[in-house]
Each structure stands twice: as C-alpha cells, then as structure tokens.
C-alpha cells in the first residue's frame, strides 16, 4: 500500500517538474518572439545590478567617513583663533526732515566776516529740517563765491540771483512766494516757510511744530515771537559743518537772560501750501517795515486758523546793526524809499491793523511744550494747540468769539476740545 502511495507521489512530482519546464520553455519562446530577454537571464541581470549598486554605495560611505575623520583630526590640531569681542552698535536717532520748502533773503556780505557767518548759521539750522532751501539774491555778489560759501549745504540750496528786486536791490515778496509755490509743485512740498536770513530756528522744534500743525488743521498759518541774541560767542571757534547738541547747549546758556522782542517784530512765517490759494502777492520789499504785519493781517482776515508758535519754536534773532543799508540815515531801516513803498502797498491792499501775533486765534499750550529745551536728545512732551483764550473780537472783522471759532472750525481735522470748557470748539 505504501509502495503504491510513494509511486504515485513520485509520478506527481515528475509530472509537476515537466509541467514547470514546459511552462518555462513556452514563456521563453514567447519572450524571444517579442524581442525580449529570456526569463531566467532577465532575473539574473537585475540581481547583478543590485549587487553593483550596493558595492558603489558602500564605497561612497567609506569615502565620506574618511573625509569626516580627517576634518575632525585637523580641527583638533589647529590652534583656536580668538575672535575680537563685538561691541553693540549705538544707534543715533535719525534726523527727521519735513516737506517744508524754505525761502530766505540774505544780505550781501563778504565771506569770513561776521554778517556772512551769522547767515550761514541760520542756513545750517534750516538744513536740519528741510531738503529744499531757496536763497533770493546772491549772498556774496558772485556765483563762484556763493558756491564756496554754501559748500556745506550746497546739495539742498538753490540761489535765485536773478529774482525781481527793488531799485535798491531788495527782493520782492511777490516773486519770492511765486517761486516757492512753483518749486513746491516739483518737490511734493506741503508747507511754505519764509524767514529772514538772520533767524536761527531749532530744527527739532520746527519738526515737532510741523507735525502738530498738520495733525490738527487742514490748512493753517503760523508765526511766533523772536528772541534777540548775540551770536558772537558761537562763532569764536568757526562755523560748524552742522549744528550739534553741543551747539544748542551753548545757545541755552546764552539765551537764559534774554527776553522776547516786541509783538510786531515777526521774522518767520509758516503756512500750508493752499492757505493763500497760491494767489499773487504785492511787491513788498522783504525785510522792510510793514510787509510782515501785512502778511499776518492777511492771514487773520482769511478766517482760517492762525497759530502763535512762540511756545513751541524759540526763534533766535542774531543781533546786528543796519550798516548794510547805505540809503538810511543813522544806519536804520526807517525813512527809506523801500519802507515808504511798503506803506503804500500795505494801505492799498487791506492794511496791517490786525497784523500782530497777539491777534492769532490759536496758540500752543505752555504747559505741554517748553521752548527752552534746545537739545534734541532730551525728552520732550508732545505740544498741544489750543484756542487763544486771550483772543478778543476784532473791530470791523470778527464780531464775537463764537463767530471766530465757527469760522476756524471748518479747517480742523477733527473736533477740538480743550481743558478749558469755555474755549471748546465743536
């Protein structure tokens, strides 16, 4: 029985082997007809490729391990280089500039004399807050000498030596303002500042006031008192290339005993570009009586905000004589042809009866802003513009305070409320 079973299994085994052989031969025959490799050769070829790939990988790994060992050994043997200690960089606060175009008229002078030095100090103060400064008339009488004289700030200065002038050589207000408007359009300027060439304006105070004015009003005109100082001590060691903190500290010592000048002495004027609607001005002689008071009077009579910046900008008037006015008797600027012409133009164009700083409708709160802080790096509180509580109705113009507030309120960027409830403008 068992013999028969073994015989049967042997037959089955032999049959299975024959069957596999037949299948293999048939498959190879089919692959050969299709142009492919025989089955057993294909399998062997794939196996060889795997073996070769493993060999290559093992070789690459050994090479990388060798490189790593050599690099580590080299680092151990090399001496460690001591690196210098890095000092943290002290960042200085960037100087802020504004979109103010500055116009000024300088007296003709000789480079190196006191008059030229005074005017250069003023220009350096303007360069601290503006990249657009326009000088009307040649300060030294020669273009070549002008370039040398203004070399420290030549990139931001434009000299208009051919501007229109009076018979005595004084630039005319009409031409000056028109030129500032034209250049403002080219340089994306939003504010005009005209100042006499002997006025020093602390740049950080101008920047602060500029931001405050634009934050409060849509349109504005601003003016302020001046303080006369003797700048001779500041010029003993020569004119600096820029006005540093030490310069302002030195000025602080000089002005400690000084007082503000009279209210009709107005030497700088700042207004938003559309305040006067870019209308032409009369041919006032700049720097002669009445032109400044006429300008303030015109601003007040426009029924727009007029701001007294005395508490936020300490305008420094450098003391000088009037020897540059050859026509005047006693070296003064009264009783000259230019002064008489200004009076004539003023009377014909609205007068100047309200052309005093005290008639400004707005002022800067003295409690929030200190003009005596001349050093830019010292902490300052933000100034606040408030209604001028001492303002009184102007005869023949604003009848009541309420009427004046209502007219001004149209130019506020938002409702303006103050600590004093009586002076609230809604």
């Amino acid at each position: 029985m068992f013999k028969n079973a073994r015989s049967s299994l042997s037959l089955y085994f032999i049959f299975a082997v024959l069957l596999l052989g037949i299948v293999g031969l048939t498959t190879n025959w089919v692959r050969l007809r299709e142009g492919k490799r025989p089955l057993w050769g294909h399998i062997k070829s794939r196996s060889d490729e795997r073996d070769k790939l493993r060999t290559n990988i093992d070789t690459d790994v050994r090479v990388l391990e060798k490189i790593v060992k050599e690099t580590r050994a080299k680092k151990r043997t090399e001496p460690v280089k001591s690196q210098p200690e890095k000092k943290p960089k002290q960042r200085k606060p960037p100087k802020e500039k504004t979109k103010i175009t500055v116009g000024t008229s300088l007296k003709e002078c000789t480079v190196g004399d006191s008059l030229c030095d005074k005017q250069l100090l003023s220009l350096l103060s303007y360069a601290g807050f503006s990249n657009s400064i326009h000088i009307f008339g040649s300060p030294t009488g020669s273009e070549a000498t002008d370039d040398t004289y203004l070399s420290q700030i030549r990139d931001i200065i434009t000299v208009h030596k051919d501007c229109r002038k009076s018979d005595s050589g004084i630039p005319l207000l009409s031409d000056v303002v028109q030129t500032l408007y034209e250049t403002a359009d080219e340089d994306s300027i939003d504010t005009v500042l005209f100042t006499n060439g002997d006025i020093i304006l602390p740049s950080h105070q101008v920047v602060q006031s500029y931001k405050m004015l634009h934050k409060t009003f849509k349109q504005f005109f601003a003016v302020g008192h001046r303080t006369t100082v003797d700048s001779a001590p500041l010029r003993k060691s020569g004119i600096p290339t820029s006005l540093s903190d030490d310069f302002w500290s030195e000025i602080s010592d000089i002005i400690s005993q000084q007082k503000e000048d009279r209210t009709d002495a107005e030497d700088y004027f700042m207004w938003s570009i559309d305040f006067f609607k870019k209308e032409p001005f009369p041919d006032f002689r700049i720097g002669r009586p009445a032109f400044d008071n006429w300008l303030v009077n015109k601003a007040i009579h426009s029924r727009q905000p007029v701001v007294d910046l005395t508490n936020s900008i300490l305008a420094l008037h450098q003391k000088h004589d009037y020897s540059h006015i050859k026509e005047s008797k006693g070296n003064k600027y009264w009783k000259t042809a230019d002064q008489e012409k200004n009076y004539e133009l003023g009377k014909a164009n609205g007068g100047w009866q309200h052309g005093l700083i005290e008639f400004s409708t707005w002022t800067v709160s003295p409690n929030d802003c200190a003009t005596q802080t001349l050093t830019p790096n010292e902490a300052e509180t933000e100034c606040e513009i408030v209604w001028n509580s001492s303002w009184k109705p102007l005869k023949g113009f604003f009848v009541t305070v309420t009427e004046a507030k209502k007219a001004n309120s149209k130019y506020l960027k938002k409702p303006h409320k103050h600590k004093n409830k009586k002076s609230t403008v809604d």
Side-chain angles (χ1 to χ4, degrees):
M1 180 177 174
F2 290 107
K3 288 182 180 180
N4 292 336
R6 275 199 291 268
S7 300
S8 299
L9 288 172
S10 298
L11 289 174
Y12 286 137
F13 178 75
I14 293 168
F15 177 75
V17 169
L18 289 174
L19 183 61
L20 286 172
I22 293 169
V23 170
L25 290 172
T26 305
T27 304
N28 281 338
W29 179 73
V30 171
R31 290 177 66 85
L32 287 170
R33 284 181 64 85
E34 293 176 353
K36 298 178 181 179
R37 282 194 205 173
L39 183 62
W40 314 122
H42 178 65
I43 294 171
K44 186 175 186 306
S45 174
R46 292 290 296 274
S47 176
D48 292 343
E49 287 177 4
R50 282 195 297 272
D51 292 342
K52 187 176 180 180
L53 182 61
R54 286 196 192 97
T55 303
N56 290 339
I57 291 172
D58 292 341
T59 303
D60 291 342
V61 169
R62 284 195 294 273
V63 170
L64 287 172
E65 287 176 346
K66 184 178 179 182
I67 292 171
V68 170
K69 286 179 181 178
E70 289 176 353
T71 304
R72 286 176 178 172
K74 190 176 180 181
K75 283 185 177 180
R76 289 192 199 101
T77 56
E78 285 182 353
V80 179
K81 293 181 180 179
S82 58
Q83 293 183 350
E85 204 175 312
K86 290 184 179 180
K87 295 181 180 180
K89 292 183 179 179
Q90 293 182 350
R91 292 186 178 180
K92 292 184 178 181
K95 289 186 177 179
E96 279 190 280
K97 294 290 182 92
T98 62
K99 292 183 178 180
I100 296 176
T101 185
V102 178
T104 188
S105 173
L106 303 185
K107 304 171 183 72
E108 193 168 320
C109 61
T110 302
V111 176
D113 68 11
S114 62
L115 181 56
C116 262
D117 286 350
K118 288 175 185 178
Q119 294 181 151
L120 187 54
L121 273 181
S122 296
L123 291 172
L124 288 172
S125 75
Y126 312 151
F129 61 82
S130 174
N131 283 326
S132 174
I133 302 174
H134 298 267
I135 297 173
F136 294 89
S138 174
T140 64
S142 163
E143 186 172 349
T145 314
D146 283 349
D147 285 341
T148 304
Y149 173 53
L150 303 169
S151 59
Q152 295 164 262
I153 46 178
R154 196 68 189 85
D155 293 342
I156 60 174
I157 293 282
T158 304
V159 178
H160 303 273
K161 63 176 183 177
D162 297 324
C163 63
R164 291 174 57 233
K165 301 173 185 175
S166 69
D167 294 338
S168 61
I170 305 299
L172 304 181
L173 181 65
S174 55
D175 197 58
V176 169
V177 174
Q178 184 60 36
T179 302
L180 292 176
Y181 283 152
E182 290 171 359
T183 55
D185 291 338
E186 297 171 4
D187 300 334
S188 301
I189 296 295
D190 59 15
T191 305
V192 173
L193 188 151
F194 180 80
T195 176
N196 289 340
D198 53 10
I199 297 295
I200 295 175
L201 296 173
S203 57
H204 62 291
Q205 292 182 357
V206 175
V207 170
Q208 186 184 41
S209 300
Y210 165 85
K211 291 162 67 175
M212 173 179 60
L213 288 165
H214 278 282
K215 180 181 178 182
T216 309
F217 302 110
K218 300 172 186 175
Q219 292 180 183
F220 61 84
F221 179 94
V223 65
H225 290 288
R226 72 183 193 188
T227 299
T228 297
V229 296
D230 182 4
S231 63
L234 303 172
R235 296 180 277 107
K236 279 184 179 178
S237 56
I239 304 301
T241 55
S242 62
L243 304 189
S244 63
D245 293 358
D246 293 337
F247 174 86
W248 295 116
S249 297
E250 195 171 347
I251 281 189
S252 297
D253 297 334
I254 293 173
I255 66 171
S256 58
Q257 303 299 323
Q258 302 296 326
K259 293 182 180 180
E260 296 169 359
D261 289 353
R262 60 183 194 269
T263 60
D264 63 340
E266 299 148 343
D267 279 3
Y268 75 93
F269 316 90
M270 180 162 50
W271 65 88
S272 52
I273 196 72
D274 292 323
F275 185 89
F276 291 113
K277 314 300 180 188
K278 297 186 179 180
E279 62 182 272
F281 281 8
D283 289 339
F284 281 102
R285 278 64 173 157
I286 288 174
R288 298 298 177 264
F291 105 93
D292 50 353
N293 305 120
W294 175 87
L295 188 58
V296 174
N297 182 81
K298 182 175 178 62
I300 290 174
H301 281 222
S302 73
R303 294 177 176 265
Q304 300 177 81
V306 176
V307 186
D308 176 6
L309 292 181
T310 302
N311 290 329
S312 62
I313 296 179
L314 183 60
L316 304 173
H317 173 245
Q318 299 181 77
K319 190 177 180 180
H320 61 83
D321 57 28
Y322 294 92
S323 58
H324 56 281
I325 306 178
K326 298 179 176 61
E327 179 191 354
S328 177
K329 296 178 181 179
N331 289 335
K332 294 184 178 180
Y333 75 154
W334 300 99
K335 297 182 180 179
T336 63
D338 288 320
Q339 177 245 314
E340 290 173 3
K341 186 62 178 178
N342 275 5
Y343 274 25
E344 179 186 324
L345 290 169
K347 291 174 183 177
N349 290 276
W352 58 87
Q353 66 273 28
H354 297 142
L356 302 180
I357 297 171
E358 62 196 52
F359 292 129
S360 301
T361 49
W362 301 82
T363 188
V364 176
S365 172
N367 299 325
D368 298 327
C369 189
T371 54
Q372 300 302 320
T373 307
L374 280 174
T375 306
N377 290 342
E378 290 183 17
E380 295 179 6
T381 55
E382 186 177 351
C383 299
E384 182 187 8
I385 294 177
V386 297
W387 181 261
N388 183 2
S389 59
S390 62
W391 187 87
K392 295 179 181 178
L394 306 179
K395 187 177 180 181
F397 187 51
F398 284 131
V399 180
T400 63
V401 173
T402 303
E403 181 188 356
K405 289 181 178 180
K406 186 176 180 181
N408 274 219
S409 65
K410 294 187 295 185
Y411 301 98
L412 292 171
K413 286 193 172 178
K414 59 182 179 180
H416 202 86
K417 295 186 178 181
H418 312 302
K419 297 171 186 177
N420 183 357
K421 293 182 180 180
K422 293 182 180 180
S423 58
T424 301
V425 178
D426 296 321

